[in-house]
Amino acid sequence: MKILILNGPNLNLLGQREPEIYGTTSLDDLNRRLAQYGESLNQARAEHARVELYFYQSNHEGVLIDMIQKAPDTYAGILYNPAAHSHYSIALRDAVAAIPTPVVEVHYSDIAVREGFRRVSLMEDVTVAQFKGKGVVSYEEGLAYLINYIDEH
Ligand code: DQA
């Protein structure tokens, strides 16, 4: 199964941006960790059910909308950190709602305990789950959940 790991605006700066909040792991390191995690999950999976991860990041709302609209042609699921778009982009929320592909929302930080404007995620009720506040582990837990969800549906 092909899974898209999608990261929104400013996540290309992971590891440099506000390290006290987002840590020192770069996006490349995060993606390598997820690739390793995917491989470890594959040890216990049948050949035809192998997980293949594809990575994409963009700072541009329209590019992300295009990516999400096209995702069902290729991917069985999306692990998505919409970053700041979570809090204000009705267009990205609508894109997620428009596709049948399951989307799991992830956040490095715990958006529920930060500034008031981060506490609402417009994605929350159009995604199948949300994992937050654990850095790379949020992504790993989100990926495990997504794979399990796809397996069961
Ligand atoms: C973030 C949280 C968002 O509020 C913020 O705008 C980000 C990153 C996170 O991963 O913690 O850019 O999605």
Side-chain angles (χ1 to χ4, degrees):
M1 80 176 62
K2 294 188 165 114
I3 296 198
L4 176 63
I5 312 289
L6 189 59
N7 279 290
N10 298 307
L11 293 169
N12 55 314
L13 296 182
L14 272 179
Q16 304 164 40
R17 99 183 253 222
E18 300 176 275
E20 66 288 359
I21 297 173
Y22 299 112
T24 52
T25 304
S26 68
L27 183 59
D28 282 349
D29 288 342
L30 164 67
N31 289 343
R32 265 192 290 275
R33 287 257 311 251
L34 289 175
Q36 281 167 7
Y37 185 67
E39 277 313 308
S40 72
L41 296 178
N42 279 337
Q43 309 290 319
R45 295 179 69 84
E47 190 60 35
H48 72 272
R50 279 179 66 82
V51 172
E52 291 171 49
L53 302 182
Y54 295 82
F55 301 94
Y56 192 75
Q57 187 275 334
S58 176
N59 291 326
H60 304 282
E61 188 177 32
V63 171
L64 290 158
I65 292 169
D66 288 344
M67 201 72 191
I68 291 168
Q69 285 186 6
K70 282 190 241 136
D73 297 343
T74 309
Y75 302 105
I78 307 175
L79 188 72
Y80 182 27
N81 185 345
H85 286 145
S86 324
H87 316 301
Y88 72 88
S89 177
I90 298 169
L92 274 163
R93 176 206 155 90
D94 286 350
V96 169
I99 58 165
T101 309
V103 178
V104 167
E105 177 182 4
V106 289
H107 296 280
Y108 241 77
S109 63
D110 186 353
I111 55 173
V113 299
R114 295 183 60 194
E115 303 94 321
F117 61 85
R118 292 185 206 276
R119 294 197 184 145
V120 172
S121 168
L122 301 180
M123 302 293 165
E124 204 165 336
D125 58 344
V126 291
T127 51
V128 296
Q130 185 193 71
F131 292 83
K132 58 180 186 287
K134 295 187 184 170
V136 175
V137 175
S138 300
Y139 283 74
E140 289 174 344
E141 289 181 357
L143 181 58
Y145 184 95
L146 179 61
I147 291 166
N148 194 43
Y149 183 93
I150 297 165
D151 283 343
E152 287 182 355
H153 286 79

